[in-house]
């Protein structure tokens, strides 16, 4: 069997930069097979996927991925740490993956490893500095960035590394590999031309953020050059069907309704809510009726917009701190969204390598036969997330698609 490449992505949507990363990763590693762990209908920044998870899986397969596995929603909408931890847990459980490749602003994996080593071991001096920075009222990401820079004590060498979400995710992937003592080798591929949140674009390269912004504003003519042909066709098809959800504001009335209905204690049980933030959330929900207004009131030096958006998403999906704790202590299932012939071979090899792994190719069969309460609780959240997501469709808002949608095969 040849080498197996693992990729962790949102593909929201799959664009030319993703295609470059995939092809470059294959070239660097010499891999024969590629498995992608992708987020489903909601994303790590506390927002929505532009198109549904099966459409994303189809585009990925048509563009060169062999096997697509869904990252459970409890990981996909979590902090960078839990997002990376869950994805690496799945990749490592397959027992056939040789490399994990991620896009970052630096190709120096050793540099990212330096940060990951500190975060994994958490030396006392580092923890003391972090505690001191948090007491200043900084957000956790900023406090951690400051603490790492002060602990490593080499601003010139490490400057700007922690200012990029992709570098941060890369560090978290490496930290998770250390945590699980995985043999998977991390590979960093420099991002091609545009930054993570750039709204501008060159002739054929744009960030996923820019593409979602184009769709939201109806500038569809620009999309043809920014996406591989299969991804472009899938996106246009979903636009025509009214199955595109550009951001969380599509659900703003449902979110504010939920928050107004919830008690202070229920809001306090949402992940990422701490230090009395529940009172500010409740008061704000009682006095506004749009998400931009809500975010503008709540965001602060301590609470980033992304963190607040995740909290809003938790309230929409009914996810609690107890659920997140469950995700951290559970070895997750492998939910297959799609595969090609090489992917079909990979599934059989994975089953041989790890006979006890729960590989889901039939949702009904899994629901009927599974006796693991933790896996059931996690999977119920995935099903509910899809049911909520389709409420945002303009037409044909079907319930229970997880039971009726077939695995994508290419």
């Amino acid at each position: 069997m040849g080498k197996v490449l693992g990729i962790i992505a949102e593909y929201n949507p799959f664009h030319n930069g993703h295609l470059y990363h995939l092809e470059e990763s294959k070239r660097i590693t010499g891999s024969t097979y590629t498995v992608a762990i992708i987020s489903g209908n909601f994303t790590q920044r506390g927002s929505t996927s532009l198109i549904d998870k099966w459409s994303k899986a189809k585009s990925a397969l048509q563009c060169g991925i062999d096997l697509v596995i869904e990252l459970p929603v409890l990981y996909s909408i979590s902090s960078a740490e839990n997002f990376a931890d869950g994805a690496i847990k799945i990749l490592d459980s397959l027992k056939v993956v040789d490399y994990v490749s991620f896009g970052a602003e630096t190709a120096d994996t050793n540099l990212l490893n330096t940060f990951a080593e500190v975060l994994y071991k958490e030396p006392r001096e580092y923890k003391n500095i972090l505690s001191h920075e948090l007491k200043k009222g900084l957000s956790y990401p900023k406090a951690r960035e400051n603490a790492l820079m002060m602990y490593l004590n080499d601003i010139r060498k490490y400057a700007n590394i922690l200012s990029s979400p992709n570098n941060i995710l890369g560090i978290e992937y490496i930290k998770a590999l250390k945590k699980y003592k995985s043999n998977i080798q991390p590979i960093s591929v420099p991002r091609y031309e545009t930054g993570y949140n750039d709204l501008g674009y060159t002739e054929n390269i744009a960030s996923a953020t820019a593409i979602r912004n184009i769709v939201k504003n109806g500038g569809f003519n620009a999309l043809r050059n920014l996406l591989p042909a299969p991804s472009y066709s899938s996106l246009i098809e979903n636009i025509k069907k009214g199955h595109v959800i550009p951001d969380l504001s599509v659900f703003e009335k449902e979110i504010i309704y939920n928050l107004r209905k919830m008690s202070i204690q229920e809001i306090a049980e949402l992940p990422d809510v701490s230090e009395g933030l529940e009172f500010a959330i409740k008061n704000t929900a009682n006095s506004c009726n749009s998400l931009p207004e809500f975010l503008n009131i709540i965001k602060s030096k301590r609470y980033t917009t992304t963190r607040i958006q995740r909290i809003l998403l938790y309230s929409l999906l009914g996810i609690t701190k107890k659920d997140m704790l469950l995700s951290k202590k559970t070895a997750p299932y492998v939910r297959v969204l799609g595969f090609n012939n090489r992917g079909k071979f990979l599934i059989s090899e994975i089953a041989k390598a790890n006979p006890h792994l729960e590989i889901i190719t039939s949702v009904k069969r899994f629901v009927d036969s599974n006796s693991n309460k933790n896996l059931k609780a996690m999977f119920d959240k995935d099903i509910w997330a899809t049911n909520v997501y389709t409420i945002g469709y303009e037409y044909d808002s079907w319930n229970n698609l997880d039971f009726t949608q077939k695995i994508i095969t290419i």
Side-chain angles (χ1 to χ4, degrees):
M1 179 175 176
K3 297 293 184 182
V4 180
L5 169 68
I7 288 177
I8 302 164
E10 291 190 321
Y11 290 157
N12 188 28
F14 192 108
H15 54 65
N16 289 336
H18 291 133
L19 183 61
Y20 167 80
H21 172 256
L22 172 60
E23 292 177 346
E24 188 69 0
S25 299
K26 287 181 177 180
R27 183 191 68 79
I28 292 170
T29 63
S31 296
T32 307
Y33 305 93
T34 307
V35 52
I37 311 292
I38 70 168
S39 56
N41 295 322
F42 294 94
T43 66
Q44 197 267 328
R45 296 175 66 205
S47 193
T48 59
S49 179
L50 188 61
I51 55 178
D52 69 89
K53 59 192 180 185
W54 294 283
S55 295
K56 292 197 294 185
K58 182 178 179 181
S59 296
L61 292 168
Q62 290 175 324
C63 290
I65 299 290
D66 299 316
L67 172 63
V68 181
I69 294 168
E70 180 182 4
L71 182 63
V73 71
L74 290 181
Y75 301 118
S76 73
I77 65 172
S78 188
S79 65
E81 181 179 24
N82 204 38
F83 177 97
D85 193 88
I88 292 297
K89 268 196 290 192
I90 293 174
L91 274 184
D92 190 59
S93 73
L94 305 182
K95 303 302 179 189
V96 299
V97 178
D98 299 288
Y99 305 98
V100 58
S101 174
F102 48 85
E105 270 60 39
T106 176
D108 191 345
T109 309
N110 290 330
L111 197 60
L112 301 179
N113 183 70
T114 300
F115 288 98
E117 186 74 8
V118 176
L119 294 176
Y120 171 60
K121 292 185 175 178
E122 291 193 313
R124 179 175 295 179
E125 183 185 349
Y126 161 74
K127 291 176 74 174
N128 289 340
I129 299 172
L130 176 61
S131 177
H132 181 265
E133 291 299 298
L134 286 170
K135 287 176 182 177
K136 292 180 180 179
L138 300 175
S139 67
Y140 183 80
K142 186 61 181 175
R144 190 174 77 162
E145 178 183 347
N146 290 353
L148 283 166
M149 296 298 281
M150 284 186 271
Y151 177 79
L152 293 170
N153 196 27
D154 193 339
I155 301 296
R156 182 180 298 178
K157 182 176 181 180
Y158 301 117
N160 301 320
I161 295 295
L162 295 173
S163 61
S164 162
N166 292 288
N167 284 345
I168 291 170
L169 268 177
I171 291 166
E172 292 295 350
Y173 294 143
I174 297 171
K175 186 180 81 173
L177 290 172
K178 292 175 182 293
K179 177 181 175 180
Y180 296 110
K181 297 177 172 54
S182 176
N183 292 322
I184 298 173
Q185 297 299 307
I187 303 292
S188 175
V189 177
R191 287 178 61 85
Y192 187 50
E193 291 195 35
T194 62
Y196 181 72
N197 284 320
D198 285 354
L199 293 179
Y201 52 91
T202 63
E203 184 178 345
N204 65 350
I205 294 290
S207 69
T209 302
I211 292 169
R212 293 193 298 272
N213 193 57
I214 290 169
V215 172
K216 187 174 182 179
N217 294 318
F220 305 140
N221 291 338
L223 295 174
R224 188 182 296 274
N225 292 330
L226 301 175
L227 304 169
S231 184
Y232 172 78
S233 298
S234 178
L235 180 54
I236 294 301
E237 180 185 350
N238 277 283
I239 289 171
K240 289 178 179 177
K241 291 193 299 185
H243 287 188
V244 167
I245 303 183
D247 58 41
L248 199 59
S249 64
V250 172
F251 300 103
E252 66 181 2
K253 299 303 181 188
E254 289 86 351
I255 290 170
I256 292 171
Y257 165 82
N258 271 351
L259 291 173
R260 288 189 176 187
K261 186 177 70 170
M262 293 171 73
S263 68
I264 293 288
Q265 183 55 42
E266 287 172 328
I267 295 174
E269 289 304 311
L270 296 174
D272 285 349
V273 173
S274 61
E275 301 165 326
L277 181 58
E278 61 270 24
F279 295 100
I281 290 174
K282 184 66 172 178
N283 290 337
T284 305
N286 287 340
S287 63
C288 71
N289 65 359
S290 77
L291 286 197
E293 183 184 3
F294 187 102
L295 292 168
N296 190 53
I297 294 171
I298 292 285
K299 68 180 180 181
S300 66
K301 183 170 68 170
R302 181 178 287 273
Y303 304 113
T304 63
T305 299
T306 298
R307 178 174 173 178
I308 299 300
Q309 285 185 173
R310 283 204 300 266
I311 291 170
L312 297 180
L313 192 47
Y314 299 145
S315 72
L316 177 68
L317 300 180
I319 290 172
T320 66
K321 288 174 180 173
K322 184 179 178 181
D323 295 322
M324 279 302 173
L325 187 62
L326 172 73
S327 75
K328 292 175 181 179
K329 68 179 185 180
T330 300
Y333 41 78
V334 173
R335 166 76 186 282
V336 177
L337 292 178
F339 55 82
N340 60 18
N341 286 335
R342 285 189 299 274
K344 187 176 182 180
F345 171 75
L346 266 181
I347 293 172
S348 65
E349 291 300 302
I350 291 165
K352 290 177 192 173
N354 190 351
H356 301 294
L357 185 63
E358 190 68 66
I359 302 174
I360 303 175
T361 53
S362 166
V363 169
K364 186 179 186 306
R365 188 186 312 130
F366 172 73
V367 170
D368 289 345
S369 63
N370 171 62
S371 58
N372 186 311
K373 291 182 180 179
N374 288 351
L375 294 186
K376 180 183 185 304
M378 285 188 69
F379 197 68
D380 284 348
K381 293 298 181 185
D382 289 349
I383 293 171
W384 179 240
T386 303
N387 291 343
V388 171
Y389 182 81
T390 59
I391 292 173
Y393 286 177
E394 191 174 354
Y395 315 109
D396 302 325
S397 181
W398 297 105
N399 196 40
N400 283 334
L401 288 185
D402 282 288
F403 290 91
T404 58
Q405 173 66 51
K406 295 181 179 178
I407 288 179
I408 305 298
T409 55
I410 301 296

